[in-house]
């Protein structure tokens, strides 16, 4: 089942997501549906808050980019209850996009190396250190479970320049081929 993707302005994207336990209801279906949703919308990562679930879960399959970024070879994982425990390395700048911010692409500065502790799909504890583009993808998805979006890393000026685009996104006025979930606006019977 393909979930609609929550877009900019939806409050779920701003919540700090909660840890889950192995008996979390429907977990294996949720993970399956998240893969399906991510592939359907041509994403390389998807976090549970983006499908309106405020839980610490994200999935990444960055293998479509492995020809350009060798560090992404075979990089397909499920991350549960993740915590980034160290950010090191030089700051690195790369273009990013996000399924919750359709039509926006901007350069984002991030540390080039991180260490993360998480549980895999079978709740085995894992600690890994990533660098290069892998570190970037993990930080982007990790931000989602912390209620952070990549535009939060931009300068105030750049953010101001995106304002009208962001307003259009939150009203669902974007031409994309996946289903989205826009914020519910209380209209109190008024219609424009
Ligand atoms: Ni994103």
């Amino acid at each position: 089942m393909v979930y609609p993707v929550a877009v900019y302005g939806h409050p779920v994207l701003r919540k700090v997501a909660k840890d889950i336990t192995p008996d979390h209801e429907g977990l294996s279906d949720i993970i399956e549906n998240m893969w399906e949703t991510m592939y359907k919308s041509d994403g390389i990562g998807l976090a549970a808050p983006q499908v309106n679930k405020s839980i610490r879960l994200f999935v990444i399959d960055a293998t479509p980019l492995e020809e350009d970024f060798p560090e992404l070879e075979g990089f397909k994982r499920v991350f549960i209850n993740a915590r980034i425990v160290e950010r090191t390395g030089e700051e690195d700048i790369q273009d990013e996009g996000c399924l919750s911010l359709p039509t926006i692409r901007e350069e984002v500065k991030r540390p080039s190396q991180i260490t993360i502790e998480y549980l895999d799909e079978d709740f085995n504890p894992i600690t890994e250190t990533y660098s290069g583009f892998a570190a970037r993808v993990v930080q982007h998805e990790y931000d989602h479970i912390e209620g952070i979006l990549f535009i939060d890393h931009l300068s105030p000026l750049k953010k101001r320049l995106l304002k009208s685009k962001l307003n259009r996104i939150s009203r669902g006025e974007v031409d994309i081929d996946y289903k989205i979930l826009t914020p519910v606006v209380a209209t109190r019977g008024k219609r424009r």
Side-chain angles (χ1 to χ4, degrees):
M1 178 199 148
V2 174
Y3 293 124
V5 176
V7 294
Y8 181 81
H10 196 294
V12 71
L13 296 174
R14 292 313 194 175
K15 283 188 194 158
V16 177
K18 298 259 189 321
D19 280 341
I20 53 170
T21 53
D23 60 357
H24 187 87
E25 209 191 322
L27 182 58
S28 59
D29 289 338
I30 293 172
I31 293 171
E32 196 52 48
N33 294 340
M34 282 177 65
W35 285 127
E36 215 183 313
T37 305
M38 188 191 81
Y39 290 129
K40 177 92 183 166
S41 48
D42 287 323
I44 55 166
L46 185 71
Q50 294 182 276
V51 295
N52 203 15
K53 298 181 189 310
S54 193
I55 55 176
R56 296 185 81 84
L57 162 66
F58 57 91
V59 299
I60 292 174
D61 182 356
T63 57
L65 299 179
E66 66 191 5
E67 270 182 30
D68 294 325
F69 302 95
E71 66 269 33
L72 297 178
E73 206 188 320
F75 186 23
K76 181 181 174 186
R77 307 244 199 304
V78 174
F79 292 81
I80 293 171
N81 299 350
R83 294 282 186 286
I84 289 180
V85 292
E86 201 177 11
R87 295 172 200 254
T88 52
E90 304 273 299
E91 297 245 295
D92 189 43
I93 298 176
Q94 280 275 356
D95 253 27
E96 290 188 24
C98 179
L99 296 176
S100 296
L101 294 160
T103 71
I104 294 182
R105 281 201 80 82
E106 292 291 335
E107 288 187 333
V108 181
K109 206 195 274 184
R110 295 188 187 271
S112 60
Q113 187 169 300
I114 57 130
T115 298
I116 189 166
E117 294 177 356
Y118 66 98
L119 305 170
D120 70 8
E121 210 172 339
D122 303 312
F123 282 75
N124 300 308
I126 294 173
T127 303
E128 275 171 331
T129 298
Y130 294 112
S131 54
F133 208 80
R136 174 169 299 273
V137 180
V138 171
Q139 287 176 88
H140 178 113
E141 298 312 326
Y142 183 82
D143 273 357
H144 278 302
I145 62 170
E146 293 283 305
I148 298 167
L149 297 169
F150 83 77
I151 50 167
D152 300 343
H153 298 288
L154 304 178
S155 70
L157 171 66
K158 271 210 168 146
K159 253 201 254 182
R160 268 206 306 282
L161 294 173
L162 288 174
K163 189 94 176 118
S164 61
K165 227 175 181 180
L166 290 170
N167 287 339
R168 281 199 298 278
I169 291 171
S170 62
R171 292 195 300 264
E173 296 166 6
V174 276
D175 184 21
I176 40 166
D177 52 10
Y178 53 94
K179 272 219 305 205
I180 57 171
L181 191 62
T182 52
V184 179
V185 182
T187 55
R188 292 188 178 266
K190 268 191 226 162
R191 304 235 169 214
R192 276 178 297 159

